[in-house]
Amino acid sequence: MAEAALDAHEHPETNTGMSNSKLALWVFLGSECLLFGGLISTYLLYRNETNGGPTASDVFEIPFTSVSSFVLLLSSLTMVLALSALRRGDETRNRIWLLTTAMLGAVFVGGQVYEFTAFLREGLGFTTSPFSSAFYTLTGFHGVHVSVGIVMLMSLVVVSLKGDLSKERAETVELIGLYWHFVDVVWIFIFTVVYLTV
Amino acid sequence: MAITEEATKELTKGDAVAATVEQPLGILTRPTSTKGWKSWLTTVDHKRIGILYGGAALLFFVLGGLEALAMRIQLATPNGTFLSAETYNQVFTMHGVTMIFLVAMPMAAAFANYLIPLQIGARDVAFPRLNALSFWIFLGGGLFLVSSQFIGGWWSNAPDCGWFCYQPNGGVIFSPSRGVDYYAIGLQITGIASLISAVNLIVTCLNMRTRGMSMFRMPVLTWMLLVTQFLLLFAIPVITVGLFLLMFARLFDAQFFNVAAGAEPLLWQHLFWIFGHPEVYILVLPAFGIVSEVIPTFSRKPIFGYSFMVFSGIAIGFMGWGVWAHHMFASGLGPISVAAFSLSTMFIAVPTGVKILNWLATMWGGKLTFNTPMLFAVAVVSMFTIGGLSGVTHAMAAVDTQQTDTYYIVAHFHYVVFGGIINGLFAGFYFWWPKVFGYKLNEKLGKTNFWLMIIGMNLTFGPMHILGLQGMSRRYYTYSGGYGFELWNMVVSIGAFTIALGVLTFIINIFYSKRKAAELPPVGPDPWDSRSLEWMISSPPPDHNFDEPIDVHGLDEFWHRKYGYDDDGKVIAFATAAEVAQTGDRTDVHLPSPSYWPIVVATGLPIIGYGLIYSLWLCVVGGLFVVTGLFGWAQEPADDPNAVHDDHDEPGDDGDDAQGASALEQSSTEEMSVDG
């Protein structure tokens, strides 16, 4: 494959056929799996260590979190729509869907902040118990990941408004989409392990 | 930020980035210089970054060595008074942390950075600016850790919980100084560096090989370094989780290690050793790779069982994840866990044994040359075997329980880290020195260096086995007379100073050989008559590595271009290295341009670290550095569009490889810096 491309006097392709950036992102996401694996394990170890403070079933509000989880998962759909719009060359729709994705993400993060303050009022502080520390650390790390994703999506919107995000650079959107989907998948695990197994 | 552009630059041979037009990018204009000390701050050349890694690691090596000497002065005689108990705790902790995280790992990174692209025939690594970022983050983290020794008083604020910093012993109650905070934050910073570097080098190995360089034609060193990067990729996040828990517990009163509140003290041990055991292989596999290059060259034979070498390395990479709890036999895991981890620990000796056997079989019947690199390589084979064998004794849980936290353990892992890793790195220094710097290190001084170090290490670490079996605990700052510890402790201390003399000889050798080199003929591309691609280009290699991409037809491509077989199957030389090698004088290759941004981003992280410890306002300052750096980075194309680029369609002009990467570089570093 690489030889054929060189014979045609084109730039050499990569050995795997996947661009360096995309391969790097996959490799990095592999590393992220272990990061969340460690945090989820910590939570599982401590979920019943409430130290006399509120327990999971005392504070969790499953319907509320289900809705915000649905919002986050919906944002994966809009992310796909953004990419497919750009692949068609429709930069306007790409911008709209990117913005929608970012907003859905922001709604999720907002829900998380609301949830945290509600828990705090019910007496579940960060330092209350091993359970609370593990819970806030795990969901907080995820929230930071979503927020970083929002920043990247908004950067894409700005780049697009400047006219620098054309069809040819669809891979950039694809990569940030990959990251976004990964963060969503991680949330499916967290939601199942943390909320649904109370 | 008064960094100004150098107005003029000299064009010299091999000087490939001939930028002629200045392009202002915000407040900073793009650096173009490839000369002078300033160019080292902005370089993205993998070879220069490799040298930076090596130089920094060597400085930290001297520092860690001085700490070892201080401990040996203290312990040379009973009731020593050279160090107080508090200082001693800090000194042994910093010795361990420095040697592992600031010497062995970056030294391996030096070899990885310098040699992987050359050995696979690539122009550079996949993401040159990320590569520079890795180095500067590592250096920042290292200096941050070391600064704990004098900020807030001389040796009063350094970590004092041992390199594995068991909890709750490392908590605020038992370790009230800021030392453990430095430990938790400093290792997170160096971890970010390792992670970025791992991603970068994995992509380089998988994606940037030259024509015909299939995975199973890569030299064993590159293979071992690739396995190492995968181990780093998956091990670093685990320690990162542990370090975050520790940091939150110490700084924000999180309850992760508060046993009174129901926390589990073994959590830290598990997180640490799930990282810590792969870490052992992260440290030793690069040394194995170096030995696998040196021994074939000086045995004048190809490596015995190449595929066994590669697969045993991969096997070690997998099995390394299943043995961590053998560090915790004394913690009461329960009989089933102990039995399972005993077995897996015995099994992992098998692939390591395969490697030892293959090195011996490579030497068997070869035309051996015992010069300095070969001596160090043979020292790895023999000394590491001793460390490996004493390691297998720990697989017996009953024996291990007896030996836990005695000097026997210290003896065992020093035979691994000094006997295996340091000897391996020194073999690498002597072997690739002419390639990197263009002159050979002096043989006589080299052999003096070798013998001082090999005798010194056996005097130092050999008697520790006996001391441990006699019952002397590690980490005691002093001992009373009359227990039979006096003689061996004195021997150990004498040995430690012998090693120090050896290292001093090495440093003298560097300067002596450099001065002498002017009188000697140039070393040429291939001073050792070697086998792999890095010897196929002038020494030192030009900025652009290779004039033309190399077509690879098999393992040991370069050797097969020099030698063949006649009708009787005898080896005949049909070309000299000078005829085969490339001259490296091409000047029209377009290369990734230097950049200020990696060092700007990296500067922010230690500032954030100090901020977390002393004043959150500093975090804002550090955060500004990171954000400004990332913003500038994102605005700047990987390649300077104004740099000379007049042969766009020439094969080999793959400088554009990184172009589409800038967006990802931006996004992935953003994530990483937030994680960190």
Side-chain angles (χ1 to χ4, degrees), chain B residues 610-632:
Chain B
Y610 288 119
L612 284 168
I613 295 178
Y614 294 111
S615 154
L616 288 177
W617 288 107
L618 274 176
C619 290
V620 178
V621 179
L624 275 177
F625 268 97
V626 174
V627 171
T628 314
L630 288 176
F631 185 74

PDB file of all heavy atoms in Angstrom, chain B residues 610-632:
ATOM      1  N   TYR B 610       3.289  24.144  42.591  1.00  0.00           N
ATOM      2  CA  TYR B 610       3.609  24.987  43.756  1.00  0.00           C
ATOM      3  C   TYR B 610       2.338  25.659  44.264  1.00  0.00           C
ATOM      4  O   TYR B 610       2.145  25.814  45.470  1.00  0.00           O
ATOM      5  CB  TYR B 610       4.646  26.048  43.397  1.00  0.00           C
ATOM      6  CG  TYR B 610       6.029  25.497  43.190  1.00  0.00           C
ATOM      7  CD1 TYR B 610       6.679  25.627  41.966  1.00  0.00           C
ATOM      8  CD2 TYR B 610       6.695  24.858  44.225  1.00  0.00           C
ATOM      9  CE1 TYR B 610       7.946  25.111  41.765  1.00  0.00           C
ATOM     10  CE2 TYR B 610       7.956  24.331  44.038  1.00  0.00           C
ATOM     11  CZ  TYR B 610       8.582  24.465  42.805  1.00  0.00           C
ATOM     12  OH  TYR B 610       9.830  23.950  42.617  1.00  0.00           O
ATOM     13  N   GLY B 611       1.478  26.043  43.319  1.00  0.00           N
ATOM     14  CA  GLY B 611       0.239  26.700  43.704  1.00  0.00           C
ATOM     15  C   GLY B 611      -0.621  25.801  44.572  1.00  0.00           C
ATOM     16  O   GLY B 611      -1.180  26.238  45.580  1.00  0.00           O
ATOM     17  N   LEU B 612      -0.724  24.518  44.205  1.00  0.00           N
ATOM     18  CA  LEU B 612      -1.539  23.598  44.999  1.00  0.00           C
ATOM     19  C   LEU B 612      -0.988  23.476  46.415  1.00  0.00           C
ATOM     20  O   LEU B 612      -1.729  23.282  47.374  1.00  0.00           O
ATOM     21  CB  LEU B 612      -1.571  22.224  44.330  1.00  0.00           C
ATOM     22  CG  LEU B 612      -2.462  22.107  43.101  1.00  0.00           C
ATOM     23  CD1 LEU B 612      -2.196  20.810  42.358  1.00  0.00           C
ATOM     24  CD2 LEU B 612      -3.917  22.178  43.516  1.00  0.00           C
ATOM     25  N   ILE B 613       0.337  23.587  46.538  1.00  0.00           N
ATOM     26  CA  ILE B 613       0.933  23.403  47.863  1.00  0.00           C
ATOM     27  C   ILE B 613       0.884  24.692  48.669  1.00  0.00           C
ATOM     28  O   ILE B 613       0.545  24.683  49.853  1.00  0.00           O
ATOM     29  CB  ILE B 613       2.388  22.901  47.719  1.00  0.00           C
ATOM     30  CG1 ILE B 613       2.394  21.509  47.082  1.00  0.00           C
ATOM     31  CG2 ILE B 613       3.062  22.846  49.080  1.00  0.00           C
ATOM     32  CD1 ILE B 613       3.762  20.943  46.855  1.00  0.00           C
ATOM     33  N   TYR B 614       1.229  25.834  48.033  1.00  0.00           N
ATOM     34  CA  TYR B 614       1.454  27.041  48.825  1.00  0.00           C
ATOM     35  C   TYR B 614       0.355  28.092  48.684  1.00  0.00           C
ATOM     36  O   TYR B 614      -0.045  28.698  49.664  1.00  0.00           O
ATOM     37  CB  TYR B 614       2.810  27.658  48.476  1.00  0.00           C
ATOM     38  CG  TYR B 614       3.954  26.758  48.875  1.00  0.00           C
ATOM     39  CD1 TYR B 614       4.741  26.134  47.914  1.00  0.00           C
ATOM     40  CD2 TYR B 614       4.216  26.514  50.216  1.00  0.00           C
ATOM     41  CE1 TYR B 614       5.780  25.292  48.297  1.00  0.00           C
ATOM     42  CE2 TYR B 614       5.244  25.672  50.596  1.00  0.00           C
ATOM     43  CZ  TYR B 614       6.028  25.071  49.634  1.00  0.00           C
ATOM     44  OH  TYR B 614       7.034  24.239  50.017  1.00  0.00           O
ATOM     45  N   SER B 615      -0.103  28.349  47.471  1.00  0.00           N
ATOM     46  CA  SER B 615      -1.109  29.400  47.311  1.00  0.00           C
ATOM     47  C   SER B 615      -1.828  29.181  46.001  1.00  0.00           C
ATOM     48  O   SER B 615      -1.198  29.082  44.942  1.00  0.00           O
ATOM     49  CB  SER B 615      -0.439  30.776  47.297  1.00  0.00           C
ATOM     50  OG  SER B 615      -1.244  31.675  46.573  1.00  0.00           O
ATOM     51  N   LEU B 616      -3.139  29.100  46.073  1.00  0.00           N
ATOM     52  CA  LEU B 616      -3.877  28.784  44.858  1.00  0.00           C
ATOM     53  C   LEU B 616      -3.713  29.860  43.781  1.00  0.00           C
ATOM     54  O   LEU B 616      -3.955  29.599  42.608  1.00  0.00           O
ATOM     55  CB  LEU B 616      -5.356  28.577  45.189  1.00  0.00           C
ATOM     56  CG  LEU B 616      -5.640  27.268  45.952  1.00  0.00           C
ATOM     57  CD1 LEU B 616      -7.108  27.156  46.321  1.00  0.00           C
ATOM     58  CD2 LEU B 616      -5.229  26.047  45.131  1.00  0.00           C
ATOM     59  N   TRP B 617      -3.272  31.073  44.181  1.00  0.00           N
ATOM     60  CA  TRP B 617      -3.058  32.113  43.169  1.00  0.00           C
ATOM     61  C   TRP B 617      -2.016  31.698  42.148  1.00  0.00           C
ATOM     62  O   TRP B 617      -2.107  32.038  40.964  1.00  0.00           O
ATOM     63  CB  TRP B 617      -2.634  33.433  43.825  1.00  0.00           C
ATOM     64  CG  TRP B 617      -3.783  34.071  44.533  1.00  0.00           C
ATOM     65  CD1 TRP B 617      -3.968  34.155  45.884  1.00  0.00           C
ATOM     66  CD2 TRP B 617      -4.917  34.685  43.929  1.00  0.00           C
ATOM     67  NE1 TRP B 617      -5.145  34.780  46.157  1.00  0.00           N
ATOM     68  CE2 TRP B 617      -5.755  35.129  44.985  1.00  0.00           C
ATOM     69  CE3 TRP B 617      -5.305  34.910  42.609  1.00  0.00           C
ATOM     70  CZ2 TRP B 617      -6.960  35.777  44.747  1.00  0.00           C
ATOM     71  CZ3 TRP B 617      -6.504  35.563  42.380  1.00  0.00           C
ATOM     72  CH2 TRP B 617      -7.319  35.986  43.442  1.00  0.00           C
ATOM     73  N   LEU B 618      -1.007  30.956  42.633  1.00  0.00           N
ATOM     74  CA  LEU B 618       0.019  30.498  41.705  1.00  0.00           C
ATOM     75  C   LEU B 618      -0.579  29.578  40.640  1.00  0.00           C
ATOM     76  O   LEU B 618      -0.094  29.527  39.507  1.00  0.00           O
ATOM     77  CB  LEU B 618       1.119  29.770  42.460  1.00  0.00           C
ATOM     78  CG  LEU B 618       2.239  30.625  43.043  1.00  0.00           C
ATOM     79  CD1 LEU B 618       3.185  29.747  43.838  1.00  0.00           C
ATOM     80  CD2 LEU B 618       2.994  31.329  41.920  1.00  0.00           C
ATOM     81  N   CYS B 619      -1.642  28.849  41.021  1.00  0.00           N
ATOM     82  CA  CYS B 619      -2.306  27.980  40.035  1.00  0.00           C
ATOM     83  C   CYS B 619      -2.832  28.806  38.866  1.00  0.00           C
ATOM     84  O   CYS B 619      -2.800  28.360  37.716  1.00  0.00           O
ATOM     85  CB  CYS B 619      -3.463  27.230  40.676  1.00  0.00           C
ATOM     86  SG  CYS B 619      -2.949  25.976  41.824  1.00  0.00           S
ATOM     87  N   VAL B 620      -3.316  30.003  39.185  1.00  0.00           N
ATOM     88  CA  VAL B 620      -3.826  30.861  38.120  1.00  0.00           C
ATOM     89  C   VAL B 620      -2.692  31.225  37.168  1.00  0.00           C
ATOM     90  O   VAL B 620      -2.830  31.148  35.941  1.00  0.00           O
ATOM     91  CB  VAL B 620      -4.469  32.134  38.720  1.00  0.00           C
ATOM     92  CG1 VAL B 620      -4.948  33.052  37.619  1.00  0.00           C
ATOM     93  CG2 VAL B 620      -5.595  31.748  39.656  1.00  0.00           C
ATOM     94  N   VAL B 621      -1.545  31.588  37.753  1.00  0.00           N
ATOM     95  CA  VAL B 621      -0.390  31.932  36.916  1.00  0.00           C
ATOM     96  C   VAL B 621       0.007  30.746  36.046  1.00  0.00           C
ATOM     97  O   VAL B 621       0.182  30.866  34.821  1.00  0.00           O
ATOM     98  CB  VAL B 621       0.797  32.371  37.806  1.00  0.00           C
ATOM     99  CG1 VAL B 621       2.005  32.703  36.939  1.00  0.00           C
ATOM    100  CG2 VAL B 621       0.407  33.553  38.667  1.00  0.00           C
ATOM    101  N   GLY B 622       0.127  29.589  36.701  1.00  0.00           N
ATOM    102  CA  GLY B 622       0.500  28.395  35.948  1.00  0.00           C
ATOM    103  C   GLY B 622      -0.519  28.058  34.884  1.00  0.00           C
ATOM    104  O   GLY B 622      -0.173  27.719  33.750  1.00  0.00           O
ATOM    105  N   GLY B 623      -1.798  28.186  35.253  1.00  0.00           N
ATOM    106  CA  GLY B 623      -2.847  27.912  34.288  1.00  0.00           C
ATOM    107  C   GLY B 623      -2.761  28.833  33.083  1.00  0.00           C
ATOM    108  O   GLY B 623      -2.978  28.411  31.947  1.00  0.00           O
ATOM    109  N   LEU B 624      -2.379  30.113  33.339  1.00  0.00           N
ATOM    110  CA  LEU B 624      -2.229  31.055  32.225  1.00  0.00           C
ATOM    111  C   LEU B 624      -1.144  30.586  31.262  1.00  0.00           C
ATOM    112  O   LEU B 624      -1.302  30.664  30.039  1.00  0.00           O
ATOM    113  CB  LEU B 624      -1.885  32.449  32.761  1.00  0.00           C
ATOM    114  CG  LEU B 624      -3.084  33.299  33.163  1.00  0.00           C
ATOM    115  CD1 LEU B 624      -2.616  34.618  33.751  1.00  0.00           C
ATOM    116  CD2 LEU B 624      -3.972  33.557  31.939  1.00  0.00           C
ATOM    117  N   PHE B 625      -0.030  30.114  31.837  1.00  0.00           N
ATOM    118  CA  PHE B 625       1.034  29.594  30.971  1.00  0.00           C
ATOM    119  C   PHE B 625       0.494  28.467  30.090  1.00  0.00           C
ATOM    120  O   PHE B 625       0.723  28.440  28.877  1.00  0.00           O
ATOM    121  CB  PHE B 625       2.187  29.050  31.833  1.00  0.00           C
ATOM    122  CG  PHE B 625       3.257  30.048  32.126  1.00  0.00           C
ATOM    123  CD1 PHE B 625       3.250  30.753  33.321  1.00  0.00           C
ATOM    124  CD2 PHE B 625       4.271  30.276  31.220  1.00  0.00           C
ATOM    125  CE1 PHE B 625       4.225  31.674  33.603  1.00  0.00           C
ATOM    126  CE2 PHE B 625       5.265  31.187  31.501  1.00  0.00           C
ATOM    127  CZ  PHE B 625       5.239  31.893  32.697  1.00  0.00           C
ATOM    128  N   VAL B 626      -0.229  27.534  30.722  1.00  0.00           N
ATOM    129  CA  VAL B 626      -0.708  26.375  29.970  1.00  0.00           C
ATOM    130  C   VAL B 626      -1.688  26.812  28.883  1.00  0.00           C
ATOM    131  O   VAL B 626      -1.563  26.419  27.721  1.00  0.00           O
ATOM    132  CB  VAL B 626      -1.372  25.358  30.928  1.00  0.00           C
ATOM    133  CG1 VAL B 626      -2.002  24.218  30.142  1.00  0.00           C
ATOM    134  CG2 VAL B 626      -0.354  24.816  31.912  1.00  0.00           C
ATOM    135  N   VAL B 627      -2.641  27.669  29.266  1.00  0.00           N
ATOM    136  CA  VAL B 627      -3.658  28.068  28.297  1.00  0.00           C
ATOM    137  C   VAL B 627      -3.031  28.879  27.163  1.00  0.00           C
ATOM    138  O   VAL B 627      -3.284  28.625  25.976  1.00  0.00           O
ATOM    139  CB  VAL B 627      -4.783  28.868  28.994  1.00  0.00           C
ATOM    140  CG1 VAL B 627      -5.724  29.469  27.981  1.00  0.00           C
ATOM    141  CG2 VAL B 627      -5.534  27.960  29.951  1.00  0.00           C
ATOM    142  N   THR B 628      -2.162  29.846  27.539  1.00  0.00           N
ATOM    143  CA  THR B 628      -1.487  30.637  26.504  1.00  0.00           C
ATOM    144  C   THR B 628      -0.706  29.722  25.576  1.00  0.00           C
ATOM    145  O   THR B 628      -0.744  29.851  24.346  1.00  0.00           O
ATOM    146  CB  THR B 628      -0.509  31.642  27.142  1.00  0.00           C
ATOM    147  OG1 THR B 628      -1.160  32.295  28.210  1.00  0.00           O
ATOM    148  CG2 THR B 628      -0.013  32.645  26.127  1.00  0.00           C
ATOM    149  N   GLY B 629       0.016  28.791  26.177  1.00  0.00           N
ATOM    150  CA  GLY B 629       0.842  27.886  25.375  1.00  0.00           C
ATOM    151  C   GLY B 629       0.003  27.067  24.425  1.00  0.00           C
ATOM    152  O   GLY B 629       0.322  26.946  23.236  1.00  0.00           O
ATOM    153  N   LEU B 630      -1.103  26.514  24.932  1.00  0.00           N
ATOM    154  CA  LEU B 630      -1.932  25.677  24.073  1.00  0.00           C
ATOM    155  C   LEU B 630      -2.581  26.509  22.976  1.00  0.00           C
ATOM    156  O   LEU B 630      -2.712  26.063  21.843  1.00  0.00           O
ATOM    157  CB  LEU B 630      -3.011  24.980  24.908  1.00  0.00           C
ATOM    158  CG  LEU B 630      -2.509  23.869  25.820  1.00  0.00           C
ATOM    159  CD1 LEU B 630      -3.644  23.321  26.669  1.00  0.00           C
ATOM    160  CD2 LEU B 630      -1.883  22.746  25.013  1.00  0.00           C
ATOM    161  N   PHE B 631      -2.968  27.742  23.334  1.00  0.00           N
ATOM    162  CA  PHE B 631      -3.581  28.607  22.333  1.00  0.00           C
ATOM    163  C   PHE B 631      -2.582  28.909  21.216  1.00  0.00           C
ATOM    164  O   PHE B 631      -2.877  28.762  20.029  1.00  0.00           O
ATOM    165  CB  PHE B 631      -4.069  29.905  22.988  1.00  0.00           C
ATOM    166  CG  PHE B 631      -4.811  30.795  22.040  1.00  0.00           C
ATOM    167  CD1 PHE B 631      -6.095  30.470  21.645  1.00  0.00           C
ATOM    168  CD2 PHE B 631      -4.219  31.941  21.542  1.00  0.00           C
ATOM    169  CE1 PHE B 631      -6.783  31.272  20.763  1.00  0.00           C
ATOM    170  CE2 PHE B 631      -4.899  32.748  20.658  1.00  0.00           C
ATOM    171  CZ  PHE B 631      -6.184  32.412  20.273  1.00  0.00           C
ATOM    172  N   GLY B 632      -1.374  29.312  21.618  1.00  0.00           N
ATOM    173  CA  GLY B 632      -0.346  29.590  20.617  1.00  0.00           C
ATOM    174  C   GLY B 632      -0.052  28.363  19.776  1.00  0.00           C
ATOM    175  O   GLY B 632       0.108  28.434  18.557  1.00  0.00           O
TER     176      GLY B 632
END
